[in-house]
């Protein structure tokens, strides 16, 4: 069933004809999910002291539990995820402490003993790989947690699995970005908001017409987004879409990547797991789901399909592979500090880091339309798992059922047919 090229990232070019043919059979309704509901709210917490800062609180209240997602662009973009076993837990912010050099205790979820799970993700840098051999990647600054944007040149790297996939350009440190006012993009009814940022120092004016956006989406019911990669979401999750648009690349075939830091549980880093499926109905020709899991389930998880898109119109033609590196422990001082992570978790933490690289030197790329987007789902509890879709069940019926039916029909014919002819009806 999987006769695709380049199965390495789970993205390949498959012959679409069987899918077109079988999609006729996929009109059955989806009844996959239970109906647990949560009251989900999205609010910006205004600061009462100091300069205004973006702090977005998603609170999802269930019968016996509350989930808190706290997103901020204070320092590098970061999110805290906290699960509590009461419907009454609240987020408490002490702004003067949060904005101080020692933010420990500036963010709390109360009551503290209701917390069942907590962790954080920090988007430290955008990695850039390019062909300019003169420039060395800069060693990054001292700090806490962060994400970076990287750019690479892939012109000469035919082996896309090579590490790194090209010559790195200096990364963009996301802690040194300035971000829009999250209040302006907040849609409390649609449960979404966008952090849009540019580097504070942009000597090459690469971001003159461009930006990096983190679009956050919460959900009040289970389902799928209309756009690929159409990750299955529940009320326990929220989705992040990272989009780089209009930024001038350094090379003709620059690749971009993202460095993500997270907290380990104890001394262990969360593990990265790959799930394979024969089902690609919701993300055509992507047969893999990557999952980062903190400890044994149910805990927290991050889930994504190893695919990014080089056009707003997301399709198989604009799909890029997304490669994830293993997750390594790292030293906190090598990462820029995230005040919200420090405020919630204090300074004694084990950080882990991994890289995502979007695209390859062949196929579509950022260079097509100066556009790149990638989505992930962040959640607590048991990660949503795709059940076999009606399409695949349809394939099975056709592949297995039809010959079976023919056999059965043939058998019936053999049994009934000759009998009918041999039956002698004596005329009385
Ligand atoms: C965003 O705008 C609101 C009012 O529109 C203002 O109260 C708040 O301080 C602003 N926040 C930031 C981070 O600029
Ligand atoms: C909530 O807790 C009560 C008592 O502990 C339990 O009976 C009930 O099944 C729980 N509800 C859910 C949705 O977990
Ligand atoms: C907030 O933190 C500051 C500095 O640590 C402290 O003086 C103040 O009492 C705290 N405010 C509240 C409401 O706890
Ligand atoms: C690519 O490889 C060719 C042949 O090995 C070499 O001549 C050229 O300089 C390389 N280009 C870059 C940008 O490294
Ligand atoms: C929020 O969702 C609505 C409806 O899907 C969409 O029109 C809007 O652009 C989204 N806003 C942001 C900030 O993502
Ligand atoms: C930004 O866009 C304007 C108008 O489209 C164009 O004139 C300008 O050259 C662009 N700047 C960069 C740095 O790409
Ligand atoms: C990019 O491509 C153009 C034309 O295809 C070429 O002239 C230029 O040298 C290339 N730039 C780099 C950095 O390879
Ligand atoms: C991420 O990529 C950067 C630049 O390519 C590299 O310095 C760093 O070691 C990588 N980290 C991991 C965990 O692979």
């Amino acid at each position: 069933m999987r006769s695709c090229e380049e199965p390495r990232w789970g993205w390949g070019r498959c012959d679409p004809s069987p899918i077109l043919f079988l999609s006729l059979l996929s009109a059955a309704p989806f009844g996959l999910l239970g109906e647990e509901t949560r009251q989900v709210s999205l609010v910006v917490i205004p600061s009462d002291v100091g300069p205004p800062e973006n702090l977005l609180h998603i609170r999802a209240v269930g019968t016996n539990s509350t989930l808190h997602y706290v997103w901020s662009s204070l320092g590098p973009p970061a999110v805290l995820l906290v699960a509590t076993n009461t419907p009454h837990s609240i987020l408490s912010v002490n702004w003067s402490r949060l904005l101080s050099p020692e933010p420990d205790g500036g963010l709390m979820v109360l009551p503290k003993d209701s917390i069942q799970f907590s962790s954080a993700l920090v988007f430290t840098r955008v990695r850039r790989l390019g062909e300019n051999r003169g420039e060395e990647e800069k060693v990054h600054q001292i700090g806490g947690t962060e994400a970076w944007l990287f750019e690479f040149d892939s012109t000469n790297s035919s082996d896309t699995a090579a590490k790194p996939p090209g010559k790195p350009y200096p990364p963009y440190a996301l802690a040194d970005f300035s971000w829009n006012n999250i209040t302006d993009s907040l849609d409390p009814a649609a449960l979404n908001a966008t952090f849009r940022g540019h580097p504070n120092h942009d000597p090459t004016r690469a971001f003159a017409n461009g930006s990096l956006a983190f679009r956050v989406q919460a959900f009040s019911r289970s389902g799928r987004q209309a756009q690929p990669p159409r990750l299955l979401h529940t009320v326990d999750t929220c989705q992040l879409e990272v989009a780089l648009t209009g930024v001038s690349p350094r090379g003709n075939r620059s690749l971009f990547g993202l460095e993500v830091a997270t907290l380990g549980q104890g001394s262990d880093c969360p593990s990265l797991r790959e799930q394979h499926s024969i089902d690609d109905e919701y993300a055509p020709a992507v047969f893999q789901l990557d999952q980062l899991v903190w400890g044994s389930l149910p805990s927290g998880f991050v889930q994504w399909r190893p695919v990014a898109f080089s056009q707003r119109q997301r399709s198989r033609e604009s799909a890029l592979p997304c490669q994830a590196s293993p997750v390594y422990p790292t030293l906190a001082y090598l990462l820029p500090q995230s005040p919200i992570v420090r405020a919630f978790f204090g300074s004694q933490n084990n950080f882990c880091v991994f890289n995502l690289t979007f695209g390859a030197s062949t196929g579509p790329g950022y260079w097509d339309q100066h556009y790149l987007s990638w989505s992930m789902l962040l959640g607590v509890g048991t990660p949503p798992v795709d059940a076999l879709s009606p399409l695949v069940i349809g394939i099975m019926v056709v592949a297995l059922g039809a010959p079976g039916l023919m056999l059965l029909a043939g058998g019936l014919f053999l049994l009934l047919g000759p009998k009918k002819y041999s039956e002698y009806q004596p005329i009385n």
Side-chain angles (χ1 to χ4, degrees):
M1 200 168 293
R2 183 179 169 175
S3 57
C4 306
E5 301 158 30
E6 304 175 340
R8 174 171 199 95
W9 312 290
W11 185 275
R13 263 151 256 162
C14 301
D15 180 6
S17 53
I19 291 175
L20 286 178
F21 165 59
L22 289 164
S23 62
L24 297 171
L25 299 168
S26 69
F30 324 107
L32 304 174
L33 298 161
E35 278 295 14
E36 213 215 319
T37 56
R38 290 183 184 276
Q39 291 294 323
V40 182
S41 61
L42 209 69
V43 293
V44 174
I45 300 180
S47 78
D48 45 14
V49 292
E53 296 288 353
N54 285 331
L55 193 65
L56 177 70
H57 181 208
I58 300 174
R59 186 162 182 259
V61 185
T63 334
N64 288 341
S65 63
T66 307
L67 307 179
H68 301 266
Y69 294 94
V70 184
W71 295 84
S72 182
S73 58
L74 182 56
V79 56
L80 305 179
L81 57 162
V82 182
T84 64
N85 63 2
T86 158
H88 307 296
S89 63
I90 55 152
L91 177 73
S92 154
V93 184
N94 181 334
W95 276 101
S96 59
R97 195 174 291 184
L98 178 60
L99 298 176
S100 76
E102 299 279 327
D104 306 39
L107 271 182
M108 287 186 284
V109 169
L110 300 171
K112 271 187 170 170
D113 59 7
S114 71
I115 296 175
Q116 304 294 297
F117 174 81
S118 59
S119 195
L121 280 185
V122 187
F123 299 90
T124 49
R125 1 180 231 180
V126 170
R127 303 162 57 231
R128 308 190 295 155
L129 276 193
E131 63 254 277
N132 189 331
R133 291 175 180 277
E135 275 171 303
E136 299 282 304
E137 192 186 339
K138 278 185 209 141
V139 176
H140 45 277
Q141 310 88 315
I142 317 157
T145 21
E146 32 132 11
W148 306 64
L149 183 71
F150 289 81
E151 181 177 351
F152 315 84
D153 171 40
S154 65
T155 310
N156 262 4
S157 55
S158 50
D159 179 10
T160 44
K163 287 173 189 169
K167 179 70 189 168
Y169 289 121
Y172 292 108
L174 300 186
D176 299 332
F177 272 47
S178 49
W179 302 88
N180 69 327
N181 187 335
I182 190 75
T183 310
D184 299 337
S185 68
L186 178 76
D187 186 336
L191 298 177
N192 59 16
T194 302
F195 295 87
R196 191 175 296 282
H198 314 81
N200 290 328
H201 306 287
D202 187 17
T204 61
R205 297 188 41 77
F207 277 76
N209 290 333
S211 68
L212 177 71
F214 286 76
R215 182 175 175 272
V216 176
Q217 176 75 57
F219 305 105
S220 58
R221 58 172 64 190
S222 302
R224 283 178 204 278
Q225 295 281 79
Q227 286 252 62
R230 303 197 63 197
L231 290 163
L232 189 62
H233 61 248
T234 67
V235 289
D236 299 342
T237 63
C238 57
Q239 183 169 297
L240 170 68
E241 180 195 321
V242 180
L244 184 71
T245 47
V247 175
S248 312
R250 292 283 284 274
N252 284 343
R253 289 191 159 246
S254 283
L255 299 184
F256 289 91
L258 199 56
E259 184 184 81
V260 185
T262 182
L263 290 179
Q265 298 290 95
S267 57
D268 296 332
C269 281
S271 56
L272 194 60
R273 298 175 196 168
E274 290 177 359
Q275 290 191 344
H276 295 271
S277 153
I278 57 167
D279 192 351
D280 72 338
E281 180 177 4
Y282 301 108
V286 182
F287 296 93
Q288 191 180 321
L289 188 67
D290 288 354
Q291 202 161 279
L292 187 80
V293 182
W294 286 273
S296 55
L297 290 172
S299 63
F301 63 87
V302 180
Q303 215 180 45
W304 66 90
R305 292 202 179 266
V307 62
F309 294 93
S310 66
Q311 293 178 25
R312 280 190 176 75
Q313 189 61 45
R314 298 178 196 177
S315 66
R316 190 193 297 235
E317 287 67 39
S318 62
L320 318 174
C322 159
Q323 281 178 284
S325 78
V327 188
Y328 289 114
T330 191
L331 296 166
Y333 75 82
L334 292 175
L335 300 170
Q337 174 166 304
S338 162
I340 63 163
V341 171
R342 176 87 188 269
F344 187 83
F345 291 97
S347 53
Q348 298 300 312
N349 288 298
N350 299 308
F351 286 101
C352 301
V353 67
F354 65 101
N355 280 332
L356 295 162
T357 306
F358 308 114
S361 55
T362 54
Y366 178 77
W367 50 83
D368 292 335
Q369 300 200 347
H370 289 186
Y371 179 85
L372 180 73
S373 93
W374 171 78
S375 303
M376 63 164 231
L377 200 69
L378 181 66
V380 185
T382 309
V385 181
D386 279 318
L388 280 186
S389 69
L391 171 60
V392 165
I393 292 167
I395 292 172
M396 286 176 167
V397 166
V398 169
L400 306 172
L405 283 175
M406 283 166 73
L407 231 93
L408 188 68
L412 284 175
F413 177 79
L414 287 177
L415 280 174
L416 302 175
K419 193 182 171 196
K420 199 171 184 178
Y421 287 103
S422 71
E423 225 165 22
Y424 175 66
Q425 303 277 327
I427 302 158
N428 286 332

